[in-house]
Amino acid sequence: MTSDSAALIQSLEENIGRVLLGKEEVIRLAVVALLAEGHVLIEDAPGVGKTSLAKAVAHSFNCQFSRLQCTPDMLPSDILGSSIFLPNKGEFEFRAGPIFTNVLLADEINRTTPRTQSALLEAMMEHQVSVDGKTYPLSKPFFVLATQNPFEFEGTYPLPENQLDRFLLCTEIGYPSRDAERRVFTSHRSGEPVETLNSVLSTEQLSKLQKQVREVRVDDSISDYILDLVDATRESRELSLGVSTRGALTMYRAVQSLALVEGRDFAIPDDVKRLASPVFAHRVICSGVIREGQRNRARIIIQQMIDTIPVPN
């Protein structure tokens, strides 16, 4: 890892930190997902900074930003776009939707129907969308940050497993400390601080950092450690669904990204430990029929696995 790369990553985190005060770990996880070319799902109460985080990421590098306020009556065409007939030309013309951007905030994603949720699947996995039999590539980088309120279930549509699997990690922001909240008062005296952020890196520089992530060395012992954890989720009696192969590969890429963000060109076991819950908890299903509180239970189960699986030397 070059000193220039380390400086860029540090400036990116510091820039976002000017808006999301006192949340260094959340910012680090968002940067890890961004550099790993993944997406982030944030489950938390309203008003804790989910939208500010997405805007800060977009303002930190010179790119396009779109926001979707998901509602039950939203249609796939509201996200992807649609073909409009032009009488003067006698043909259809495709009008791109808000998904044609670099950073997409899907706010309260579980308030829209499964049909509309599925409109994001191809874009998040393959960086392209298909409309009326034609395929349109998306710009790079393409980063989705989705939010949902885990405390309100009326009028919502839980994300299916294949949709959840598209997110590299799932995390929460949480309430700030008293000192950080006092600083929030000060920073908002003259308006929204996110609007004053300047970009600290270009899309070309971000693309180079994303390529460097794939060059981070992951020893075979670390790979086996990841697979041991994956196998444990599949064999656990407390889980009815374990981590998929895509989930295992996602962890591998996330570990590489965290190592780069931490200033290393090699992965260590602590990278796996640190990412196990954010990367795996939303990919597993706990045994039983009650869905409420499942994510917290999944995190506890995964942490127990981390505590019992032997760590490579």
Side-chain angles (χ1 to χ4, degrees):
M1 181 180 181
T2 65
S3 58
D4 289 343
S5 299
L8 285 174
I9 294 173
Q10 182 179 355
S11 62
L12 175 60
E13 291 186 328
E14 289 176 350
N15 206 47
I16 299 173
R18 293 188 178 97
V19 174
L20 201 65
L21 302 176
K23 295 297 177 181
E24 290 78 9
E25 182 65 13
V26 176
I27 293 171
R28 175 138 298 186
L29 289 175
V31 171
V32 165
L34 178 65
L35 298 190
E37 302 177 66
H39 311 286
V40 176
L41 174 64
I42 298 180
E43 294 184 325
D44 217 323
V48 294
K50 302 187 293 290
T51 303
S52 296
L53 173 60
K55 287 184 176 180
V57 170
H59 279 72
S60 293
F61 61 100
N62 190 17
C63 71
Q64 293 180 308
F65 171 73
S66 296
R67 175 179 178 177
L68 288 173
Q69 184 60 54
C70 297
T71 56
D73 59 349
M74 180 178 283
L75 300 175
S77 58
D78 294 328
I79 299 176
L80 305 179
S82 58
S83 296
I84 306 297
F85 183 72
L86 303 178
N88 57 326
K89 293 184 178 180
E91 60 184 27
F92 285 90
E93 181 178 276
F94 178 68
R95 301 289 175 86
I99 202 169
F100 288 85
T101 187
N102 296 119
V103 177
L104 176 69
L105 170 62
D107 214 1
E108 296 187 295
I109 190 174
N110 58 332
R111 287 203 173 277
T112 193
T113 62
R115 178 189 176 195
T116 305
Q117 290 174 12
S118 66
L120 292 168
L121 289 176
E122 181 183 12
M124 293 174 68
M125 191 64 192
E126 302 176 38
H127 289 192
Q128 64 181 33
V129 297
S130 298
V131 180
D132 297 331
K134 292 185 178 180
T135 299
Y136 302 91
L138 295 174
S139 302
K140 290 186 178 182
F142 178 65
F143 179 62
V144 176
L145 195 153
T147 73
Q148 62 178 6
N149 180 358
F151 305 106
E152 189 174 350
F153 297 97
E154 186 175 350
T156 61
Y157 305 86
L159 298 180
E161 282 66 42
N162 63 336
Q163 178 73 67
L164 288 170
D165 207 31
R166 295 307 197 274
F167 290 98
L168 184 140
L169 57 86
C170 175
T171 188
E172 55 190 27
I173 293 179
Y175 295 120
S177 66
R178 188 181 182 89
D179 179 63
E181 207 153 24
R182 185 182 293 110
R183 287 187 286 137
V184 170
F185 294 163
T186 304
S187 66
H188 279 72
R189 284 177 181 171
S190 302
E192 287 289 338
V194 69
E195 302 300 333
T196 64
L197 287 185
N198 296 318
S199 61
V200 294
L201 72 164
S202 64
T203 53
E204 291 77 14
Q205 290 172 319
L206 177 59
S207 179
K208 290 180 180 179
L209 289 174
Q210 290 175 334
K211 291 179 180 178
Q212 287 182 32
V213 165
R214 296 176 179 267
E215 298 171 359
V216 171
R217 181 168 55 85
V218 181
D219 193 78
D220 288 344
S221 62
I222 304 296
S223 297
D224 288 335
Y225 187 39
I226 294 173
L227 294 175
D228 287 342
L229 182 57
V230 170
D231 287 341
T233 65
R234 296 171 181 173
E235 297 170 1
S236 173
R237 293 182 179 180
E238 296 186 81
L239 300 176
S240 59
L241 179 69
V243 175
S244 66
T245 302
R246 183 192 291 132
L249 179 58
T250 297
M251 171 62 89
Y252 186 93
R253 189 73 69 226
V255 164
Q256 288 181 300
S257 183
L258 179 58
L260 185 73
V261 171
E262 295 280 334
R264 291 178 274 106
D265 60 0
F266 59 91
I268 60 176
D270 281 349
D271 295 332
V272 180
K273 290 182 177 182
R274 189 170 172 183
L275 291 169
S277 179
V279 175
F280 282 164
H282 64 290
R283 288 184 159 85
V284 301
I285 297 179
C286 299
S287 300
V289 296
I290 300 177
R291 294 185 66 94
E292 287 81 355
Q294 181 176 210
R295 199 81 73 234
N296 287 334
R297 184 182 168 199
R299 292 187 181 111
I300 293 172
I301 294 172
I302 290 174
Q303 185 57 50
Q304 290 173 343
M305 294 174 180
I306 287 291
D307 293 338
T308 57
I309 294 175
V311 179
N313 297 323

